[in-house]
Amino acid sequence: MARPKIALIGAGQIGGTLAHLAALKELGDVVLFDIAEGIPEGKALDIAESGPSAKFDATMSGTQDYADIAGADVCIVTAGVARKPGMSRDDLLGINLKVMKSVGEGIAAHAPDAFVICITNPLDAMVWALREFSGLPHEKVCGMAGVLDSARFRHFLASEFNVSMKDVTAFVLGGHGDTMVPLVRYSTVAGIPLPDLVKMGWTTQEKLDAIVQRTRDGGAEIVGLLKTGSAFYAPATSAIEMAESYLKDQKRVLPCAAYVDGAYGLNGFYVGVPTVIGAGGIERVVEISMNKDEQAMFDNSVNAVKGLVEACKGIDDSLT
Ligand code: A3D
């Protein structure tokens, strides 16, 4: 059986890391696409040359021609611009919307059967626009944010409790932005919910609140340190986790920006929710019950995303 084909649209910081991780995990042959001449070719060659030492079997190539992504099983989209200090994700909207148009058309023309994972910010609006421009089935287009946001939350919690990150589960819902909703009640250490751990004296409510806020600010913390761009190792690793679940039909339960039609009182809207990712793409949206406070935070987040989607419609007439 031929190896799967993975097309990475955007060969910048995240794109290059995605290619390296896909190679190390032998997920398939990789094509890096970018408008910047030489960058995808150079990164592809560099990674290919690491193959003999890393011992992976996968081909790597770089291109400026969408025809080369033909037949891709997975497309991961990072094309566009990233944040610099002082910028919010929403500041990227206008420029990245134009990029989504060309990427959506390129995927529709050459890889219409692919499972598409969008990473470009502002995430929830860009994944919606990418789906509109590409016309692909909704279950085959999703956005990576929840896996990253919950990984950040899990990392901070594991450090606070001095336990393995493997035993910490966490849920983060809503849009990828300042309004994201880390769900404390559904986050656990080996099945023990965080509120119980506060009662058990493992941490205090104040410390937990600070961790929740640090999770919300996780992206900005890295931007502030790097100064020249935004996070890329953890975002790439998160998207690879999603791609692997699709390619191997693992049916992982992962939070991601998915098309929600019916659940959560939403009809036809992209926002961060728990999903099951398998060979069918987004096979299921998991609807969890929320208390009043959680629902209010979720609604606030949904409204923020709605505002961005409306802004997209105001910029591009073809979006309705
Ligand atoms: P960067 O290193 O700048 O790479 C972006 C690449 O896109 C560059 O190589 C550009 O040449 C390329 N590009 C620009 N326009 C086009 C086009 N029309 N077609 C093809 N390629 C193009 O950025 P990055 O890799 O650090 O980040 C990529 C995106 O991911 C940004 O929008 C970030 O804001 C976003 N991001 C999202 C998350 C989430 O959790 C959702 C996390 C981190 C970064």
Side-chain angles (χ1 to χ4, degrees):
M1 210 202 295
R3 289 194 285 258
K5 179 168 175 177
I6 299 164
L8 305 175
I9 316 296
Q13 297 278 55
I14 302 178
T17 312
L18 284 167
H20 195 199
L21 289 171
L24 292 175
K25 292 174 90 65
E26 291 193 316
L27 290 186
D29 293 334
V30 174
V31 179
L32 280 151
F33 174 98
D34 202 294
I35 50 168
E37 274 180 42
I39 298 290
E41 291 86 347
K43 290 194 179 183
L45 182 58
D46 191 13
I47 293 168
E49 289 169 356
S50 75
S53 304
K55 300 182 180 55
F56 58 74
D57 286 309
T59 63
M60 300 280 134
S61 58
T63 185
Q64 281 78 48
D65 185 352
Y66 272 110
D68 293 328
I69 72 162
D73 299 287
V74 168
C75 293
I76 308 181
V77 178
T78 59
V81 296
R83 283 197 285 170
K84 304 266 174 353
M87 289 172 87
S88 79
R89 293 176 179 93
D90 302 356
D91 292 336
L92 307 172
L93 188 104
I95 182 156
N96 285 349
L97 184 64
K98 287 200 192 86
V99 174
M100 289 307 102
K101 187 166 191 151
S102 62
V103 174
E105 289 166 358
I107 292 175
H110 299 284
D113 297 324
F115 180 55
V116 179
I117 303 170
C118 180
I119 306 184
T120 302
N121 269 322
L123 192 269
D124 304 270
M126 291 302 103
V127 66
W128 170 81
L130 184 62
R131 207 308 304 171
E132 292 292 308
F133 290 133
S134 69
L136 264 61
H138 287 103
E139 70 277 11
K140 297 296 280 297
V141 182
C142 66
M144 187 295 296
V147 176
L148 171 65
D149 295 329
S150 55
R152 285 179 172 147
F153 196 21
R154 288 168 65 192
H155 164 65
F156 299 145
L157 291 168
S159 306
E160 167 65 9
F161 298 136
N162 195 23
V163 297
S164 168
M165 289 189 235
K166 291 181 200 146
D167 296 321
V168 181
T169 63
F171 254 127
V172 175
L173 300 189
H176 180 60
D178 304 334
T179 60
M180 76 175 76
V181 188
L183 281 183
V184 167
R185 251 173 4 112
Y186 285 99
S187 305
T188 76
V189 173
I192 309 167
L194 295 184
D196 290 13
L197 290 165
V198 173
K199 283 186 205 142
M200 287 156 61
W202 277 41
T203 188
T204 61
Q205 190 58 47
E206 291 68 35
K207 280 189 181 165
L208 193 52
D209 291 345
I211 287 174
V212 165
Q213 193 53 44
R214 191 173 177 197
T215 302
R216 286 206 180 99
D217 298 337
E221 185 175 1
I222 304 273
V223 171
L225 290 165
L226 294 180
K227 297 193 175 64
T228 52
S230 54
F232 53 101
Y233 292 114
T237 310
S238 304
I240 288 290
E241 198 176 2
M242 294 166 66
E244 187 172 20
S245 188
Y246 172 76
L247 288 168
K248 298 184 179 169
D249 194 22
Q250 289 173 332
K251 304 198 189 294
R252 298 280 314 278
V253 180
L254 297 171
C256 67
Y259 185 71
V260 186
D261 196 13
Y264 293 98
L266 298 171
N267 38 30
F269 197 68
Y270 270 95
V271 71
V273 287
T275 67
V276 177
I277 300 180
I282 301 295
E283 296 186 345
R284 217 185 314 165
V285 166
V286 184
E287 188 172 15
I288 56 168
S289 70
M290 287 185 267
N291 64 28
K292 236 174 105 198
D293 288 350
E294 291 160 351
Q295 186 69 50
M297 284 193 284
F298 185 75
D299 292 347
N300 182 34
S301 192
V302 166
N303 285 335
V305 177
K306 278 188 178 158
L308 290 177
V309 166
E310 288 309 313
C312 290
K313 291 178 185 170
I315 295 170
D316 190 311
D317 292 344
S318 69
L319 294 169
T320 47

